[in-house]
Amino acid sequence: MKKIIVLILLSIAIKGTAQNSKGIFSKDPIINLENWQKKRLYFGFFLGFNSYDFKIDYKYMETNPMYSTDIQIDKSVGFNVGLVTNLRLMEYLDLRFEPGLYYGSRTLHYPPTVGFDSPSDAIREINSTYINFPLLLKFSSLRTGNVRPYLLGGVSANLNLSSNAKSVEDNLDERFRVKSWTANYELGFGIDIFSEYFIFSPSIRGQFGINDELIRDKDPNSPWTGNIESFKSRGFLINFTFH
């Protein structure tokens, strides 16, 4: 269903740009929305996809044979949806606030050397439902016809609604816990494509966790959390934005 919606929106964007006798990528295109960039404030929305991972640092990789192998992480494709507020600071610089809902899933596979009693104990599935609050600077290049590339960078805060942070149970009860709030920095690039009626802006972005988000088990020697020095999310995001 998510793919169908995105394909429909993409087809609308392509159709809207092809209606003119001189297309966006022609040698001498008709300039669409010529005064849009002069607006002080404008809004939009985005749909997209994500793939989240974890960056894990360990304590005993060289000193304890039990922890001689990394935890393996299976990633899956999630979806993004949200709103955009764009504030023009100067000709080539904008401030953007892009609150959104990001859903993703990861599965941890612990190495067999840990010696769990049951095979199911070596697997932990982590479903994450983030409300993301990014504050970004957008650095745009000179517009060429109806195309304008840009770079993005900034910081964000994630509220994880699936964190289990308030649970008193831990991995002994099959409950993997992470912190509710995490901080990130984000870097990416994209392109504004000006059609006759709206701006279509596909972008690619990386999201990198700053703080350790793992909540350790009660047992300091827990096979699930005892060997982990830091546990940070990182994500690969693709967004399709419409203004």
Side-chain angles (χ1 to χ4, degrees):
M1 188 62 169
K2 302 189 295 290
K3 293 182 179 179
I4 293 174
I5 293 173
V6 171
L7 287 173
I8 291 173
L9 292 172
L10 286 174
S11 66
I12 292 172
I14 294 170
K15 182 178 179 181
T17 60
Q19 287 177 346
N20 294 318
S21 60
K22 296 183 178 181
I24 283 179
F25 299 104
S26 66
K27 186 176 180 181
D28 186 22
I30 295 174
I31 303 301
N32 297 319
L33 303 176
E34 187 172 2
N35 295 319
W36 185 280
Q37 296 165 250
K38 298 178 182 179
K39 286 188 176 184
R40 179 68 171 171
L41 184 69
Y42 60 87
F43 305 93
F45 69 93
F46 66 84
L47 300 171
F49 304 97
N50 67 67
S51 178
Y52 276 97
D53 193 3
F54 286 115
K55 182 181 183 300
I56 305 176
D57 294 325
Y58 302 92
K59 295 179 181 177
Y60 312 119
M61 290 300 292
E62 297 180 359
T63 60
N64 192 331
M66 179 184 294
Y67 303 111
S68 59
T69 306
D70 289 353
I71 299 169
Q72 301 300 310
I73 305 170
D74 286 345
K75 298 170 285 185
S76 64
V77 177
F79 67 90
N80 323 322
V81 61
L83 303 174
V84 178
T85 300
N86 191 100
L87 176 65
R88 183 175 181 266
L89 300 179
M90 55 184 68
E91 186 174 1
Y92 300 107
L93 182 64
D94 298 83
L95 180 66
R96 293 169 72 90
F97 180 52
E98 301 184 1
L101 179 68
Y102 290 69
Y103 176 81
S105 178
R106 290 152 284 185
T107 303
L108 305 182
H109 296 270
Y110 285 82
T113 53
V114 176
F116 291 107
D117 296 332
S118 169
S120 63
D121 289 337
I123 300 174
R124 287 292 180 265
E125 184 174 355
I126 304 173
N127 295 314
S128 300
T129 304
Y130 295 118
I131 300 179
N132 181 240
F133 302 96
L135 194 61
L136 307 169
L137 287 173
K138 176 184 177 183
F139 304 90
S140 300
S141 70
L142 183 68
R143 177 172 172 172
T144 303
N146 289 309
V147 175
R148 194 181 196 193
Y150 61 84
L151 298 175
L152 280 172
V155 295
S156 65
N158 279 343
L159 172 60
N160 188 351
L161 302 179
S162 307
S163 66
N164 294 321
K166 295 182 179 180
S167 174
V168 296
E169 299 175 333
D170 60 18
N171 278 289
L172 284 176
D173 303 294
E174 301 185 359
R175 190 63 59 88
F176 196 94
R177 301 176 298 171
V178 293
K179 296 174 183 177
S180 296
W181 285 95
T182 54
N184 318 280
Y185 67 91
E186 301 191 14
L187 298 170
F189 63 92
I191 183 170
D192 287 333
I193 302 173
F194 295 81
S195 72
E196 187 176 356
Y197 301 108
F198 60 87
I199 302 173
F200 173 57
S201 300
S203 65
I204 296 175
R205 191 182 313 169
Q207 185 182 94
F208 307 93
I210 296 173
N211 56 299
D212 177 22
E213 63 187 87
L214 180 65
I215 297 177
R216 272 72 181 174
D217 293 339
K218 300 168 189 175
D219 180 3
N221 298 314
S222 165
W224 293 280
T225 63
N227 184 41
I228 296 177
E229 183 72 36
S230 71
F231 192 81
K232 302 175 182 178
S233 286
R234 54 188 179 185
F236 177 75
L237 315 175
I238 297 177
N239 284 338
F240 303 100
T241 304
F242 298 83
H243 296 292

